[in-house]
Structure formats: structure tokens, C-alpha cells
Amino acid sequence: MSERQQKKNIIEMHNISKTFGGVHALNNVSLNVQEAEIHALVGENGAGKSTLMKILSGAYQKDKGEIIVNGERFNSNSLIESHKAGVGVIYQDFALAPDLTVMENIFINRLNLGKSFINWKKLNKEATKVINKIGFEINPKLKVEDLSVAYQQIVEIAKVLSEDIKVLVLDEPTAVLSPYETNQLFKVLNNLKKQGTSIIYISHRLDEIFELSDRITILRDGKVVNEVETKDTTVDSVISWMIGKSVNAMFPKRDSVIGEPIMAVNNICNGNSAHNISFEVHKGEILGISGLVGAGKTETARAIFGADKGIKGEVIIKGKKQKIKNPFDAIKAGIGYLPESRKEHGVILENSLKINTTMAALSKVSNKFGWIKRKAEKKMVNELIELLSIRTSGLENLATNLSGGNQQKVSLSKWLFAENDVIILDEPTRGVDVNAKTEIYNIINDLTEKGISFVLISSEIEEVIGMSDRIIVLNKGEIAGELKREEVTKEKLVNLSVGLK
């Protein structure tokens, strides 16, 4: 009998079903997770992964089925009950209090650490210990709202690991992490596994799945289509099971002709985060920006777009210097910006697809008195829905009802509607599935053929390499190097990002 066969199941989910409004989110799904293993759960958006984990955590109640945790029947009605049973779940959407400090968030349910009063010095020490255990350094006294999205994710992980957890569930934990931070996290997860912790790992990044996991369960349309040992399968096979068809290439070829410089950025400075950043972007070009979390990628993008105050440097569009003091100035200059957090800054979730698309350039569908020309508005929005293949019931559909990939397309449609010359994409495929990624890549390529230029910021090193014509690498807020498509390698990017030549 093999070592894996000898291990006992710590989680058993048998024939779990869940419906929402008559639609089967889960249909007789079974999942077994063994002690001290990393078990990957994969599938497209809407396949049922998060729903299954929310049932395990007590956030949702199953319609039918049985759950056994560590040999005992388990029916959690809350996150607190799940934690008591040793199950900790970290969702894609953060559950942090932004106006509280890092240490207050980590120990939110036990600030006094079992004592009769709060010992802030000890709380700070314990928070530091948990964060260091993960391999990061964050000041526990900082407010969460002052942290980057990546560091907020680290606080979420530290919050769960601060308790006595036997089973750790991570839903897209590296979506905002660079390769270096991802490697740091993997070391932590492998150490937890050695200590006997079981990990359920959800990710759209299949390279991570194959590097980290022992077994893979694949969901499609609310059903289990396969469960395999990771060492016995391939990426192509997993993708085929996920989407029901083969995928020949993640990164489609592009036939655009790169033209003259369209935007020049000279000596951009954004506080202590970006220092004297200078580069050019050519017509029809995709310029990649790579670097670790904290390297200044997003801060550079926000500086160009006028999203922060106190910016120094200049932006030149089509040979003309622009006065960009705010995003409105940037839009007038022909610059669009897809931010890394689409739900907070990319789309207005409770507004319609139509409103989200036209908000950046209402003058295009308004008369001289400011009245909206409804017929023209409908025609133009429907054309963009068709161009971007946005899956929606109509232009009045709320953004919150769309999948992550379609929300990202709506965010992009806003800048196409505004007819921008340059669009900055900050983590454009964060949290979307393989199929949606390929669709977005195809859209970007098609737009470069129409002469639109892109600045692509991504923590996914394969994405930067696969999509960019040139790549600049940032390290500690400065440009560490520049690589052309034909000379770029993963090793060169990583070395530059950590300050090596």
C-alpha cells in the first residue's frame, strides 16, 4: 500500500448539491482531502469551486449531501464553527476592516489574547511573528487601508494562520502577488504541509497548481469531471477537462505593426514609490511592466493617469506635453486606465453595463444641452458588447451580475468608448479563468492591430512574456532594465526584479 493510500481523509464531502434560483451551482459534488496534502480545486468561473468552499466554511448551507471533518459528521452554520473544527478559508474578496491596523485585523476576534485587557505590545509582537512566518515584513501598526492589495492579501493569510487550523482553504491567494512573493508563499504552504496541515488550493494559474499540488479535482458546470494525481497529468489535459475542449495556445499570435512613439513618460515620480521613471510606448505596441510587489508598478500607472497628488515629471502624447493633474485630464489626453481592483475602481457594480461603458465620455452621446441621445447610446454600447464578446442579458444588466472576466471586459469597454490612444492595464486577468484570459488576450491583440497601444502591468510572469513586445522591469521604484521580446527569459525578469543584472 502506497503512502498516499495509507493517509486518512481529513475532509470528506459527499454528493453536495446547491441551487440558487433553480440553477444548480453544485450537482452531487464529492471531494476528499487527505491529511498533509495540497489538493487543488480548479475550474472556470462559475464551475462551483467557491460555492463548495463556502459550504465547507458555513457561509452557505448545502441543499443535500454530507460533510465529514476528521472522521466526524460536520454541519457548520458559521465561520466561527468552522474555525473551531480547524477549517480556515481565505476568499478572493477580503474580509478586512480597512480602518483598523494590521494587528487588530489579524486578532480581530481575540484582541486581548485570552487576558482581561489588551496588551498592545504583545499583540504587536504576535502579529509580527505570524507575518514573518509567512515570509513577509509588514508593520503591524499600519492601517489596512494604507496597504497595497497584495499586502492586504498577506494580512488575510496571517489572520487565518494565527488560529489552530488543520485545513487551510485558499481561493486565488496569489492573484496579486509577483513570482517572488508567490515563491515565498509556496515555501510557507509546503512547510505547513510538512507539519500536517491539509491545504485546498484554488487557482486559475495552472503553473502554480502543477508546482504545488499533490492531487487535482476539476469542476465544470457544478459537477466533478475528474480527480487526478498531479504527477500523472498535464496542463493541456486539465484545461481540456475544465472547458470541455482543447486549447492550442494561451497567448495568441499578433500581427500588429508597431509604429511611431505615441506616449512618452519622462522622470515620473510618485512620492517614495516611483523615482524618475521614463519610457516610450509606440503605436500598436504592448509595453510590459514587471517587478515585485512594492516595486512601484501600480504607483507609476496612477501617476501617469493623475490619480494621486504631488506627482512630478511629464507625460507627452503624440509629441505634445500634457498637463495631467487628475484622471479627467488623462482621459482628455487620450489615456485610459484599468486598475488592479476592478470591483473597487474598475466598474461600479450596482450600475448597468451601459452606464459603466459610457461614463468616461458622456459627451459622445449627449447633445449641447447635456441630454443623453438614447438611440445613439444604445447603438454604441451594443457594438462594444459584440466587439468584446461580453456575455450579458443586455446593456441594462448590472455589472455585479457578470462574471469576473466579463466585468473586466466592461471596464475595458469604457476606454474603447472614450477612444483612448493608450490604455494602461493593471493586472487585466486577475482572478479570471483560462478561457476568459484567452478571450481578453485576443481582444488586446485585435485592438493593437487597430493602432491602440497598451501598457501591461502584471504579476504573472508568463503573461508579461507572452503578451509584451518590450518589457521594463522595476525594482524599488526605479527601472532596473529593459528587455525586447526576442531576448526576454523568465530568469532575466526575475533577476532584474530582485536587483541582479
Side-chain angles (χ1 to χ4, degrees), residues 13-19 24-31 52 55 62-66 217 219 221-225:
M13 303 182 78
H14 301 301
N15 303 315
I16 305 297
S17 292
K18 179 69 178 178
T19 59
H24 275 284
L26 297 171
N27 191 353
N28 290 316
V29 170
S30 295
L31 173 71
L52 186 65
I55 288 173
K62 63 187 183 301
D63 294 336
K64 69 173 187 176
E66 181 183 48
T217 293
L219 295 180
D221 298 330
K223 298 178 181 178
V224 174
V225 293

CSV table of all heavy atoms in Angstrom, one decimal, residues 13-19 24-31 52 55 62-66 217 219 221-225:
chain,number,residue,atom,x,y,z
A,13,MET,N,-16.4,15.3,1.5
A,13,MET,CA,-17.7,16.0,1.1
A,13,MET,C,-18.4,15.0,0.1
A,13,MET,O,-17.8,14.8,-1.0
A,13,MET,CB,-17.4,17.4,0.5
A,13,MET,CG,-16.7,18.3,1.4
A,13,MET,SD,-16.4,20.0,0.7
A,13,MET,CE,-18.0,20.7,1.0
A,14,HIS,N,-19.5,14.5,0.5
A,14,HIS,CA,-20.2,13.5,-0.4
A,14,HIS,C,-21.5,14.0,-1.0
A,14,HIS,O,-22.4,14.5,-0.3
A,14,HIS,CB,-20.5,12.3,0.5
A,14,HIS,CG,-19.3,11.6,1.1
A,14,HIS,ND1,-18.3,11.1,0.4
A,14,HIS,CD2,-19.0,11.3,2.4
A,14,HIS,CE1,-17.4,10.6,1.2
A,14,HIS,NE2,-17.8,10.7,2.4
A,15,ASN,N,-21.6,14.0,-2.3
A,15,ASN,CA,-22.8,14.3,-3.0
A,15,ASN,C,-23.4,15.6,-2.6
A,15,ASN,O,-24.6,15.7,-2.4
A,15,ASN,CB,-23.8,13.2,-2.9
A,15,ASN,CG,-23.2,11.8,-3.3
A,15,ASN,OD1,-22.6,11.7,-4.4
A,15,ASN,ND2,-23.4,10.8,-2.5
A,16,ILE,N,-22.6,16.7,-2.6
A,16,ILE,CA,-23.0,18.0,-2.2
A,16,ILE,C,-23.8,18.7,-3.4
A,16,ILE,O,-23.3,18.7,-4.5
A,16,ILE,CB,-21.9,18.9,-1.8
A,16,ILE,CG1,-21.1,18.2,-0.6
A,16,ILE,CG2,-22.4,20.3,-1.3
A,16,ILE,CD1,-21.8,18.0,0.6
A,17,SER,N,-25.0,19.2,-3.1
A,17,SER,CA,-25.8,19.9,-4.1
A,17,SER,C,-26.2,21.2,-3.5
A,17,SER,O,-26.5,21.3,-2.3
A,17,SER,CB,-27.0,19.1,-4.5
A,17,SER,OG,-26.6,17.9,-5.3
A,18,LYS,N,-26.3,22.2,-4.4
A,18,LYS,CA,-26.7,23.5,-4.0
A,18,LYS,C,-27.3,24.2,-5.2
A,18,LYS,O,-26.7,24.3,-6.3
A,18,LYS,CB,-25.5,24.4,-3.5
A,18,LYS,CG,-25.9,25.8,-3.1
A,18,LYS,CD,-26.7,25.8,-1.8
A,18,LYS,CE,-27.1,27.2,-1.3
A,18,LYS,NZ,-27.9,27.2,-0.2
A,19,THR,N,-28.5,24.8,-5.1
A,19,THR,CA,-29.1,25.5,-6.2
A,19,THR,C,-29.4,27.0,-5.7
A,19,THR,O,-29.6,27.3,-4.6
A,19,THR,CB,-30.5,24.9,-6.6
A,19,THR,OG1,-31.4,24.9,-5.4
A,19,THR,CG2,-30.3,23.5,-7.1
A,24,HIS,N,-28.5,24.9,-10.7
A,24,HIS,CA,-27.6,24.1,-10.0
A,24,HIS,C,-26.2,24.6,-10.0
A,24,HIS,O,-25.5,24.6,-11.0
A,24,HIS,CB,-27.6,22.7,-10.6
A,24,HIS,CG,-28.7,21.8,-10.1
A,24,HIS,ND1,-28.7,21.2,-8.9
A,24,HIS,CD2,-29.8,21.4,-10.8
A,24,HIS,CE1,-29.8,20.4,-8.8
A,24,HIS,NE2,-30.5,20.6,-9.9
A,25,ALA,N,-25.8,25.2,-8.8
A,25,ALA,CA,-24.4,25.6,-8.7
A,25,ALA,C,-23.5,24.4,-8.4
A,25,ALA,O,-22.4,24.4,-8.9
A,25,ALA,CB,-24.3,26.6,-7.5
A,26,LEU,N,-24.0,23.5,-7.7
A,26,LEU,CA,-23.3,22.2,-7.4
A,26,LEU,C,-24.3,21.1,-7.6
A,26,LEU,O,-25.5,21.1,-7.1
A,26,LEU,CB,-22.8,22.2,-6.0
A,26,LEU,CG,-21.7,23.2,-5.6
A,26,LEU,CD1,-21.4,23.2,-4.1
A,26,LEU,CD2,-20.4,23.0,-6.4
A,27,ASN,N,-23.9,20.0,-8.3
A,27,ASN,CA,-24.7,18.9,-8.5
A,27,ASN,C,-24.0,17.6,-8.2
A,27,ASN,O,-23.2,17.1,-8.9
A,27,ASN,CB,-25.1,18.9,-10.0
A,27,ASN,CG,-26.2,17.9,-10.4
A,27,ASN,OD1,-26.6,17.1,-9.5
A,27,ASN,ND2,-26.7,17.9,-11.6
A,28,ASN,N,-24.3,17.1,-6.9
A,28,ASN,CA,-23.7,15.8,-6.5
A,28,ASN,C,-22.2,15.8,-6.5
A,28,ASN,O,-21.5,14.9,-7.1
A,28,ASN,CB,-24.2,14.6,-7.2
A,28,ASN,CG,-25.7,14.3,-6.9
A,28,ASN,OD1,-26.1,14.4,-5.7
A,28,ASN,ND2,-26.5,14.1,-7.9
A,29,VAL,N,-21.6,16.9,-5.9
A,29,VAL,CA,-20.1,17.0,-6.0
A,29,VAL,C,-19.5,16.3,-4.7
A,29,VAL,O,-20.0,16.5,-3.6
A,29,VAL,CB,-19.7,18.5,-5.9
A,29,VAL,CG1,-18.2,18.7,-5.7
A,29,VAL,CG2,-20.1,19.2,-7.3
A,30,SER,N,-18.5,15.5,-5.0
A,30,SER,CA,-17.8,14.9,-3.9
A,30,SER,C,-16.3,15.3,-3.9
A,30,SER,O,-15.7,15.4,-5.0
A,30,SER,CB,-17.9,13.3,-4.0
A,30,SER,OG,-19.3,12.9,-3.8
A,31,LEU,N,-15.7,15.5,-2.8
A,31,LEU,CA,-14.3,15.9,-2.7
A,31,LEU,C,-13.7,15.3,-1.4
A,31,LEU,O,-14.3,15.4,-0.3
A,31,LEU,CB,-14.2,17.4,-2.6
A,31,LEU,CG,-12.9,18.0,-2.3
A,31,LEU,CD1,-11.9,17.9,-3.5
A,31,LEU,CD2,-13.0,19.5,-1.9
A,52,LEU,N,-18.6,25.6,-3.3
A,52,LEU,CA,-18.3,24.3,-2.5
A,52,LEU,C,-17.5,24.7,-1.2
A,52,LEU,O,-17.8,24.2,-0.1
A,52,LEU,CB,-17.4,23.4,-3.4
A,52,LEU,CG,-17.1,22.0,-2.8
A,52,LEU,CD1,-18.4,21.2,-2.6
A,52,LEU,CD2,-16.2,21.2,-3.6
A,55,ILE,N,-19.7,26.4,1.4
A,55,ILE,CA,-20.5,25.4,2.1
A,55,ILE,C,-19.6,24.7,3.2
A,55,ILE,O,-20.0,24.5,4.4
A,55,ILE,CB,-21.0,24.3,1.2
A,55,ILE,CG1,-22.2,24.9,0.3
A,55,ILE,CG2,-21.6,23.1,1.9
A,55,ILE,CD1,-22.7,24.0,-0.8
A,62,LYS,N,-25.7,23.7,2.5
A,62,LYS,CA,-26.0,22.8,1.3
A,62,LYS,C,-27.4,22.4,1.3
A,62,LYS,O,-28.1,22.4,2.3
A,62,LYS,CB,-25.1,21.5,1.5
A,62,LYS,CG,-25.4,20.7,2.8
A,62,LYS,CD,-24.4,19.6,3.0
A,62,LYS,CE,-24.8,18.7,4.2
A,62,LYS,NZ,-24.9,19.4,5.4
A,63,ASP,N,-27.9,22.0,0.1
A,63,ASP,CA,-29.3,21.5,-0.1
A,63,ASP,C,-29.3,20.1,0.3
A,63,ASP,O,-30.3,19.6,0.9
A,63,ASP,CB,-29.7,21.7,-1.5
A,63,ASP,CG,-29.9,23.2,-1.9
A,63,ASP,OD1,-30.1,24.0,-1.0
A,63,ASP,OD2,-29.8,23.5,-3.1
A,64,LYS,N,-28.3,19.3,-0.1
A,64,LYS,CA,-28.2,17.9,0.3
A,64,LYS,C,-26.7,17.5,0.3
A,64,LYS,O,-25.8,18.2,-0.3
A,64,LYS,CB,-29.0,17.0,-0.6
A,64,LYS,CG,-28.5,16.9,-2.0
A,64,LYS,CD,-29.4,15.9,-2.8
A,64,LYS,CE,-28.8,15.6,-4.2
A,64,LYS,NZ,-29.5,14.5,-4.9
A,65,GLY,N,-26.5,16.3,0.9
A,65,GLY,CA,-25.1,15.8,0.9
A,65,GLY,C,-24.6,15.7,2.3
A,65,GLY,O,-25.3,16.0,3.3
A,66,GLU,N,-23.4,15.2,2.5
A,66,GLU,CA,-22.8,15.0,3.8
A,66,GLU,C,-21.4,15.5,3.8
A,66,GLU,O,-20.6,15.4,2.9
A,66,GLU,CB,-22.9,13.5,4.1
A,66,GLU,CG,-22.3,13.1,5.5
A,66,GLU,CD,-22.3,11.6,5.7
A,66,GLU,OE1,-21.9,10.9,4.7
A,66,GLU,OE2,-22.8,11.2,6.7
A,217,THR,N,-8.7,18.2,-8.3
A,217,THR,CA,-10.1,17.9,-8.7
A,217,THR,C,-10.6,19.0,-9.6
A,217,THR,O,-10.4,20.2,-9.3
A,217,THR,CB,-11.0,17.9,-7.4
A,217,THR,OG1,-10.6,16.7,-6.6
A,217,THR,CG2,-12.5,17.7,-7.8
A,219,LEU,N,-13.7,20.8,-11.7
A,219,LEU,CA,-15.1,21.0,-11.7
A,219,LEU,C,-15.5,21.7,-13.1
A,219,LEU,O,-14.7,22.5,-13.6
A,219,LEU,CB,-15.6,21.9,-10.6
A,219,LEU,CG,-15.4,21.4,-9.2
A,219,LEU,CD1,-15.9,22.5,-8.2
A,219,LEU,CD2,-16.2,20.1,-9.0
A,221,ASP,N,-19.3,23.2,-14.7
A,221,ASP,CA,-20.8,23.4,-14.6
A,221,ASP,C,-21.3,22.7,-13.4
A,221,ASP,O,-22.4,22.0,-13.4
A,221,ASP,CB,-21.4,22.8,-15.9
A,221,ASP,CG,-21.0,23.5,-17.2
A,221,ASP,OD1,-20.7,24.7,-17.1
A,221,ASP,OD2,-20.9,22.8,-18.2
A,222,GLY,N,-20.7,22.9,-12.2
A,222,GLY,CA,-21.2,22.4,-11.0
A,222,GLY,C,-21.0,20.9,-10.8
A,222,GLY,O,-21.6,20.3,-9.8
A,223,LYS,N,-20.2,20.2,-11.6
A,223,LYS,CA,-20.0,18.8,-11.4
A,223,LYS,C,-18.5,18.5,-11.4
A,223,LYS,O,-17.7,19.2,-12.0
A,223,LYS,CB,-20.7,18.0,-12.6
A,223,LYS,CG,-22.2,18.1,-12.6
A,223,LYS,CD,-22.7,17.4,-13.8
A,223,LYS,CE,-24.3,17.5,-13.9
A,223,LYS,NZ,-24.8,16.8,-15.1
A,224,VAL,N,-18.1,17.4,-10.8
A,224,VAL,CA,-16.8,16.9,-10.8
A,224,VAL,C,-16.6,16.1,-12.1
A,224,VAL,O,-17.3,15.2,-12.4
A,224,VAL,CB,-16.4,16.0,-9.6
A,224,VAL,CG1,-15.0,15.4,-9.8
A,224,VAL,CG2,-16.5,16.8,-8.3
A,225,VAL,N,-15.6,16.6,-13.0
A,225,VAL,CA,-15.4,15.9,-14.2
A,225,VAL,C,-14.1,14.9,-14.1
A,225,VAL,O,-14.0,14.0,-14.9
A,225,VAL,CB,-15.2,16.8,-15.4
A,225,VAL,CG1,-16.5,17.6,-15.7
A,225,VAL,CG2,-14.1,17.8,-15.1
